[in-house]
Amino acid sequence: MDEQIEKLLVALMVIIEKEGGEYRLSTSAFESMFEERHQKGIQVQERGEEGIFLKLGNMTVRPDEAQNN
């Protein structure tokens, strides 16, 4: 498994655990983000003692195109 994907999964696990083991998403919010997933990206930033930061933003290049470069 790619290290960045693994870090995202661990971050998601931490968020879900923090919410009591379950996190509810609205169907419309999930479907909307699912449709936008090729235009958005998540950065995992490790900032030492400050912690791990997850940032969601618009991407200028599609992930599959970036992999080919």
Side-chain angles (χ1 to χ4, degrees):
M1 180 181 299
D2 181 89
E3 185 178 352
Q4 290 298 312
I5 293 171
E6 194 166 9
K7 287 179 180 183
L8 286 171
L9 287 173
V10 170
L12 181 59
M13 291 167 68
V14 170
I15 292 167
I16 292 170
E17 184 177 70
K18 194 174 178 182
E19 293 294 318
E22 183 175 49
Y23 191 85
R24 183 180 153 276
L25 301 170
S26 75
T27 303
S28 61
F30 180 84
E31 289 173 353
S32 175
M33 186 60 71
F34 189 83
E35 293 300 318
E36 295 179 35
R37 71 190 182 282
H38 294 294
Q39 288 83 39
K40 300 222 180 258
I42 301 172
Q43 290 182 343
V44 179
Q45 297 179 348
E46 299 177 53
R47 298 187 191 170
E49 294 297 317
E50 286 186 76
I52 308 294
F53 290 77
L54 303 176
K55 294 180 80 175
L56 178 67
N58 292 324
M59 294 177 42
T60 56
V61 177
R62 291 174 51 115
D64 53 341
E65 292 172 358
Q67 278 185 332
N68 294 331
N69 290 332

